[in-house]
Amino acid sequence: MSKLLVCDIDGTLLGREDATHRLLRLLRAPNAPVLAFASGRQGHSAMDVLLRAGVTGGAYLIAGVGSELYRRIGKQWVPVAAWPHLERPWDAQRVRQELLLLPDIRPQPLRALSAYKLSYFAHPSAVSAVRAALQAASIDANIVHSHGDMLDVLPRGIDKGAAVAWLAKHLGIALENVMTCGNTANDVAMLELPCAGVIVGGCDEELLARADSLPQTYVAREPCAAGIIEGLRAFGWLNESDWRTTSRCL
């Protein structure tokens, strides 16, 4: 395996059925990159969405904004036990207790939660209050706000970018041979990695506003999977229907 392609699911891989199936056909060809998915959804929800969309390929699934990692074995998704790798202990109950005191955030349904991701509904203006409350309680956390009103609180060092970097190292693939693709602000962490990145057309304005700070990221005109294909060609990974194999693999 020489390359790794990591695609957000909703609005990136999915959203235009014809383009999704075209991309998946390309990825079945010899020398195609290893395909991984990265979603803000919890694992069970992401798996269900992929199944309903008829997506049977893909080798890895990063879920819960990077807090979960699965490997496909046959038709099953199996957790990768070595992830997440925490920098320090994490007390989710303590985080919940601190944030209960804030009036401007509301917990998301229990199905959106996991041991390493607490999810809330919150206006962007509430993010600074959440950060201040956690800092005052000496809780070192990663805060991800996206989709206008969704706020996720994770252990420090856990997000989509950290999960992609760990997976690439685990597979022995250099970051220069990784491409990440997304359409919302919760994809920023993986688009900030020192690798090729693609923002698909029709992305959230919040992400588009940050595009200039992501120098290795290509902003596609085409939406969804068509934008991924456009990005693959822009970075020289895909020439007509053939995958280029000249990049070095560690």
Side-chain angles (χ1 to χ4, degrees), residues 3-234:
K3 292 186 173 74
L4 173 65
L5 175 65
V6 184
C7 301
D8 172 64
I9 297 176
D10 297 281
T12 304
L13 176 73
L14 304 181
R16 250 184 60 177
E17 188 175 355
D18 58 335
T20 298
H21 291 308
R22 183 183 176 200
L23 175 63
L24 294 175
R25 284 196 301 272
L26 287 169
L27 289 166
R28 287 196 291 267
N31 302 318
V34 176
L35 174 61
F37 310 114
S39 178
R41 294 176 180 267
Q42 294 306 108
H44 61 86
S45 176
M47 294 169 199
D48 182 60
V49 167
L50 291 170
L51 183 62
R52 285 190 281 112
V55 178
T56 57
Y60 291 89
L61 168 62
I62 295 166
V65 202
S67 62
E68 304 172 48
L69 178 61
Y70 301 86
R71 177 185 178 187
R72 190 192 288 277
I73 300 179
K75 296 182 179 181
Q76 302 297 317
W77 289 106
V78 179
V80 176
W83 183 263
H85 179 70
L86 302 184
E87 295 179 0
R88 49 185 58 85
W90 173 249
D91 187 344
Q93 183 56 34
R94 184 162 172 250
V95 175
R96 289 191 189 95
Q97 290 172 348
E98 293 296 333
L99 297 187
L100 277 174
L101 303 175
L102 299 182
D104 297 327
I105 68 171
R106 179 165 52 92
Q108 291 185 31
L110 290 176
R111 64 180 180 273
L113 309 180
S114 75
Y116 302 109
K117 180 175 81 76
L118 302 178
S119 297
Y120 298 85
F121 295 112
H123 188 270
S125 61
V127 173
S128 59
V130 171
R131 184 172 287 111
L134 295 177
Q135 288 177 346
S138 299
I139 296 173
D140 197 8
N142 187 19
I143 299 169
V144 179
H145 190 275
S146 62
H147 296 86
D149 69 344
M150 293 187 178
L151 184 144
D152 297 306
V153 182
L154 308 105
R156 175 66 60 189
I158 303 299
D159 54 30
K160 284 186 178 182
V164 171
W166 186 92
L167 178 59
K169 184 176 180 179
H170 174 72
L171 296 175
I173 298 176
L175 282 175
E176 65 193 59
N177 291 326
V178 174
M179 183 181 296
T180 61
C181 308
N183 75 318
T184 71
N186 74 20
D187 298 313
V188 166
M190 64 179 187
L191 293 168
E192 288 179 328
L193 292 173
C195 66
V198 176
I199 296 175
V200 299
C203 68
D204 286 357
E205 289 298 322
E206 187 179 0
L207 177 59
L208 190 59
R210 302 181 67 168
D212 288 345
S213 67
L214 306 169
Q216 297 190 70
T217 296
Y218 174 81
V219 180
R221 297 181 182 85
E222 294 290 332
C224 307
I228 298 174
I229 296 171
E230 181 184 337
L232 288 166
R233 290 202 169 111

